[in-house]
Amino acid sequence: MKKWLLIVLAVPLLFYSCEENEDVTMDQNTAEIDMSDFYVYTDMDLDLFNKENAGKKKNCQSMVVLNRKLKENPGLYQRMYNVEKHTRKTIAAKKPTGTPGGGNGGNGGGGDGGGNEPGPYTGAVSIPVVINILEDFDGQVTQSQINSQIAILNEDFNNNNPNTSSVPAEFADRVANCNISFGPVTVKRKISSKSSWGTNDSMKDPSQGGIAVTDPSSNLNIWVCNIGGGILGYAQFPGDPDVAGDGIVIGIDYFGETSGPYGDGRTATHEVGHWLNLRHIWGDGRCKQDDFVADTPSSDRSNGGCPAYPTIHCRTNDMTMNYMDYVYDDCMYMFTNGQNDRMRALFAENGARVSFVN
């Protein structure tokens, strides 16, 4: 009787023990990736920011557009959360290559994956481009502009910007060759009398006079048009379910080699950075709000013009020459290894842009 009673009492304890261990295991797995700092919505007064800095800083509307989309689509937050968690998990799985001087993926390879979890995608990435041009007259956007813009993207994402030689010594070992190329290129043109397309994606909607997206699972779509409001461009972040809007938008005056401080094609480099999951380098907030990249310094603001080095905020030297700041085109000339890891995580297994390499 006592023996039977002991067995009866032991069975629940056994199940409790197993369940408790299972819960612990699940908690440990859940705790592997810290998402406590994740954010998408920025509550700073960006409209006021843009008015105060008109003509002084690059006017990228990517975060303004994202704020609007988050309000319109409650599920977008969770989708972007999932992309971010996959990104962090992929980067966490990265193991050092052991190659002397290889740094943190500076070869564009992004490091070797270890164990059962692969790290960021390590191969060369080639991204076909569809350029959708909405212009006042046929040929307003010249072939020379198109050629120069593609050349600039290939230059910047392969660490061939000649200005990179000016990177300060403290950042020199962080410069990444992303090993991402752009092409072949398809061009679609449409004449339009619309003087300002705004940022509501109407340029992507044929029913509103725009040009429809071309298979965004295998093409980077670039819309070139008169945006208006002094806006240089904006991008759609990975994870957005709006397939018809996937791509970047660039103002005609800022596409390729044109003129002025934003006339060297770096608006496209900046917006493609967003399209590949990069945030602004200062994190669109104060010192403790980050861009989710370990090797970019903390800052509480963007920079404009061509800042002198060092420019100090949050007790560190700003990386003003990073493509994800707001400085003049000639004064931005680097991505970091950490930014490269973020972009390459999209092409890893189950990544948001894995279709480009499959």
Side-chain angles (χ1 to χ4, degrees):
M1 182 70 177
K2 289 182 180 179
K3 184 176 180 181
W4 171 252
L5 181 61
L6 287 173
I7 292 172
V8 171
L9 291 173
V11 170
L13 287 172
L14 177 62
F15 278 107
Y16 177 80
S17 177
C18 290
E19 288 176 358
E20 186 176 37
N21 288 338
E22 186 177 31
D23 287 342
V24 169
T25 302
M26 289 174 65
D27 288 342
Q28 287 173 343
N29 289 337
T30 302
E32 284 179 2
I33 304 300
D34 181 11
M35 295 290 291
S36 62
D37 65 332
F38 178 70
Y39 74 96
V40 283
Y41 186 82
T42 50
D43 58 5
M44 58 191 295
D45 191 341
L46 290 172
D47 289 332
L48 176 62
F49 171 86
N50 290 329
K51 289 174 184 176
E52 288 180 345
N53 293 284
K56 298 178 184 178
K57 296 184 179 181
K58 183 182 288 287
N59 190 338
C60 163
Q61 290 280 292
S62 293
M63 297 308 292
V64 176
V65 171
L66 178 58
N67 285 350
R68 187 196 77 232
K69 287 193 165 193
L70 287 164
K71 293 176 182 177
E72 295 171 350
N73 182 357
L76 178 56
Y77 174 90
Q78 186 61 50
R79 291 177 67 101
M80 293 186 70
Y81 180 98
N82 293 341
V83 170
E84 182 63 27
K85 189 169 184 179
H86 172 270
T87 296
R88 297 186 186 193
K89 185 176 181 180
T90 302
I91 293 172
K94 177 181 170 180
K95 299 290 188 259
T97 63
T99 303
N104 187 24
N107 297 335
D112 292 333
N116 296 323
E117 296 291 345
Y121 182 77
T122 59
V125 177
S126 181
I127 299 178
V129 179
V130 177
I131 302 176
N132 306 293
I133 301 172
L134 294 155
E135 53 194 352
D136 299 335
F137 55 88
D138 188 30
Q140 180 184 5
V141 177
T142 67
Q143 188 62 46
S144 176
Q145 273 181 273
I146 295 170
N147 293 344
S148 65
Q149 183 61 82
I150 297 303
I152 289 162
L153 285 173
N154 284 319
E155 183 178 275
D156 294 348
F157 282 85
N158 288 277
N159 193 26
N160 287 321
N161 186 329
N163 291 338
T164 306
S165 60
S166 300
V167 170
E170 72 165 310
F171 301 139
D173 63 349
R174 307 183 201 181
V175 178
N177 175 355
C178 303
N179 198 15
I180 299 174
S181 60
F182 298 85
V185 178
T186 301
V187 179
K188 296 184 176 182
R189 295 179 183 267
K190 190 172 185 178
I191 296 174
S192 173
S193 60
K194 199 167 183 175
S195 61
S196 176
W197 287 87
T199 59
N200 66 353
D201 283 352
S202 58
M203 73 288 295
K204 307 172 185 179
D205 183 355
S207 70
Q208 299 185 62
I211 300 175
V213 70
T214 299
D215 187 12
S217 67
S218 59
N219 295 283
L220 163 61
N221 279 257
I222 302 177
W223 284 268
V224 182
C225 61
N226 294 310
I227 303 174
I231 298 167
L232 278 67
Y234 69 95
Q236 181 166 299
F237 286 92
D240 194 314
D242 180 15
V243 175
D246 193 12
I248 70 171
V249 182
I250 306 293
I252 283 181
D253 293 340
Y254 316 111
F255 180 74
E257 290 283 357
T258 55
S259 61
Y262 300 119
D264 287 309
R266 260 78 210 198
T267 295
T269 302
H270 180 101
E271 300 305 342
V272 170
H274 285 315
W275 183 77
L276 291 175
N277 205 28
L278 298 186
R279 301 295 181 93
H280 289 135
I281 193 170
W282 70 98
D284 292 286
R286 301 308 172 195
C287 294
K288 292 184 179 180
Q289 187 158 305
D290 194 31
D291 63 348
F292 308 143
V293 180
D295 63 357
T296 58
S298 178
S299 187
D300 62 353
R301 70 198 71 185
S302 61
N303 291 284
C306 282
Y309 173 83
T311 296
I312 302 171
H313 297 112
C314 300
R315 300 182 181 180
T316 58
N317 296 335
D318 281 4
M319 191 181 283
T320 63
M321 64 294 305
N322 194 282
Y323 291 119
M324 301 314 294
D325 207 335
Y326 274 2
V327 299
Y328 290 167
D329 282 14
D330 277 348
C331 300
M332 54 171 58
Y333 37 79
M334 70 173 287
F335 288 117
T336 70
N337 298 315
Q339 288 174 318
N340 184 36
D341 282 346
R342 278 187 68 80
M343 291 188 280
R344 287 189 155 269
L346 297 175
F347 304 111
E349 184 178 355
N350 298 319
R353 301 209 185 276
V354 69
S355 58
F356 282 86
V357 296
N358 279 347

